[in-house]
Amino acid sequence: MEYIFRQAKPEDAPQIWTILQQAIQRRKADGSKQWQDGYPNLEVIQSDIDKGYGFVLVVQDKLIGYSAVMQNNEPAYNDIEGQWLTDGDFIVIHRVAIDEQELGKGYARTIMQAIEDHARNTGVYSIKADTNFDNPGMLSIFTKMGYQYCGEVYFRGSARKAFEKVLDK
């Protein structure tokens, strides 16, 4: 499968927001509390894009996925209840979402692989991420892709499962 994984542009914001709204509704339908408190929202997406954190997955000229990708920029990760595998530079993954018409085709894993490639290309060999305890889809992806559970971190008062993957150089 050929794809493009690139930084999001301001004109991508409406499509990204549509994809995230779909994901918010899926989480709600699944009975999850994740993303049910007004976050993420369009302002968060616009901020991601403005700061260079927003990345999109494009397949056959269609934007089908989104993720925020940051380096060394997650203060909540400083207070993990547990222990990270590494202490050096790391990439942070947040807000992974796939267009509902494209679910079940492996695109979330494609985004995760593209982020790993991006990390290696920038000379960073650690990726850290978190998700709610009630998000079986992301928990499964982390397991299948070799992420190790490291403990819990807290966002907006809620505990999240924290994972890290150390990449081969």
Side-chain angles (χ1 to χ4, degrees):
M1 164 194 46
E2 289 193 33
Y3 64 86
I4 297 169
F5 185 70
R6 63 165 172 80
Q7 278 194 302
K9 302 172 187 172
E11 58 267 26
D12 296 327
Q15 182 61 32
I16 292 167
W17 179 227
T18 296
I19 290 169
L20 277 165
Q21 286 176 305
Q22 294 168 353
I24 290 166
Q25 288 305 310
R26 282 194 306 275
R27 300 301 309 132
K28 183 176 184 178
D30 291 343
S32 175
K33 295 189 182 331
Q34 186 174 7
W35 292 357
Q36 302 305 306
D37 62 355
Y39 169 93
N41 54 50
L42 185 56
E43 292 74 27
V44 169
I45 303 316
Q46 290 171 330
S47 176
D48 284 349
I49 293 170
D50 291 346
K51 293 176 181 175
Y53 300 158
F55 282 78
V56 294
L57 181 68
V58 179
V59 177
Q60 296 178 345
D61 296 323
K62 180 182 177 191
L63 193 161
I64 63 164
Y66 177 75
S67 181
V69 180
M70 302 162 240
Q71 185 171 335
N72 300 331
N73 190 7
E74 184 45 76
Y77 286 5
N78 294 334
D79 298 319
I80 189 169
E81 290 180 0
Q83 186 169 351
W84 294 112
L85 303 175
T86 64
D87 293 325
D89 290 337
F90 60 95
I91 296 292
V92 178
I93 303 171
H94 282 313
R95 298 182 280 289
V96 176
I98 302 298
D99 185 303
E100 65 185 14
Q101 296 176 351
E102 304 296 336
L103 293 175
K105 299 178 181 177
Y107 289 129
R109 287 182 69 170
T110 300
I111 283 179
M112 299 291 284
Q113 184 61 54
I115 293 169
E116 290 181 19
D117 294 343
H118 169 76
R120 284 186 188 96
N121 290 339
T122 59
V124 178
Y125 299 96
S126 166
I127 299 180
K128 296 178 181 179
D130 64 87
T131 194
N132 265 39
F133 288 79
D134 61 1
N135 188 338
M138 278 308 296
L139 291 169
S140 174
I141 288 169
F142 288 146
T143 299
K144 288 177 183 174
M145 295 196 69
Y147 283 73
Q148 292 185 294
Y149 175 71
C150 294
E152 294 180 13
V153 293
Y154 289 82
F155 287 92
R156 297 179 314 283
S158 296
R160 313 270 301 222
K161 287 185 131 185
F163 295 85
E164 182 175 5
K165 181 174 182 177
V166 180
L167 304 175
D168 295 330
K169 293 186 179 183

